[in-house]
Amino acid sequence: MALYSEKVMDHFRNPRNVGVIENADGVGEVGNPVCGDIMKIYLKINDEQIIEDVKFETFGCGSAIASSSMATELIMGKPVSEALQLTNKAVTEALDGLPAHKLHCSVLAEEAIKSAVKNYYDNNGIEYDPKDFPDPEVESCHMH
Ligand code: FES
């Protein structure tokens, strides 16, 4: 069996929504201290709290790029509250799986989105439940 699914290869080769949103309503950046990979998410959010646009920059491995690309597709056009529910498991499933030692790369995508939403809430004085934003706990990358 191939190590990476067709979808992972597709999103790695042709990542969707790469770039920067100037004047974004929420920006989140997370990094994995061990492998050094960094992921940044930009959100454009309208008055109805719908994500109108999302872009990402990922300085990281192929799985991290594919995960962020898929994650942006999954939250585009969705309410912020729904984006907050996005788990790395959902991202991995949408990619038809990742090798076990690459699962932590999809965790970066989940955390980057959460951190961007938190930034949006903070910027706009919107109250939230701190339980929705646990301290990032990125597993270390043992293998690349
Ligand atoms: Fe570190 Fe993928 S995010 S190896």
Side-chain angles (χ1 to χ4, degrees):
M1 210 185 83
L3 192 54
Y4 293 105
S5 72
E6 289 283 320
K7 278 196 189 157
V8 173
M9 291 313 294
D10 177 32
H11 279 263
F12 169 56
R13 292 201 182 103
N14 305 297
R16 322 314 194 247
N17 308 311
V18 176
V20 175
I21 298 177
E22 302 293 342
N23 306 317
D25 299 298
V27 180
E29 181 173 335
V30 291
N32 184 312
V34 179
C35 63
D37 292 348
I38 295 170
M39 194 181 288
K40 205 163 175 180
I41 294 268
Y42 300 83
L43 299 174
K44 193 83 205 152
I45 297 167
N46 70 14
D47 292 343
E48 276 82 50
Q49 298 204 14
I50 304 288
I51 296 171
E52 283 191 329
D53 198 11
V54 43
K55 293 223 182 304
F56 80 91
E57 291 179 303
T58 292
F59 306 94
C61 72
S63 300
I65 291 168
S67 296
S68 24
S69 169
M70 180 55 88
T72 58
E73 286 213 313
L74 290 172
I75 64 166
M76 182 79 83
K78 299 275 168 62
V80 174
S81 56
E82 232 173 273
L84 263 189
Q85 307 301 320
L86 185 75
T87 60
N88 82 299
K89 191 162 175 278
V91 174
T92 310
E93 277 168 10
L95 287 170
D96 291 337
L98 281 171
H101 69 276
K102 285 289 179 183
L103 283 176
H104 67 272
C105 314
S106 63
V107 175
L108 272 185
E110 177 188 327
E111 289 182 343
I113 289 172
K114 286 207 166 84
S115 138
V117 169
K118 185 168 186 292
N119 179 242
Y120 159 73
Y121 285 160
D122 286 340
N123 288 343
N124 292 279
I126 299 170
E127 284 190 27
Y128 52 83
D129 186 345
K131 282 205 294 294
D132 283 339
F133 302 96
D135 276 343
E137 237 181 77
V138 180
E139 284 173 49
S140 50
C141 307
H142 305 295
M143 299 186 222
H144 284 252

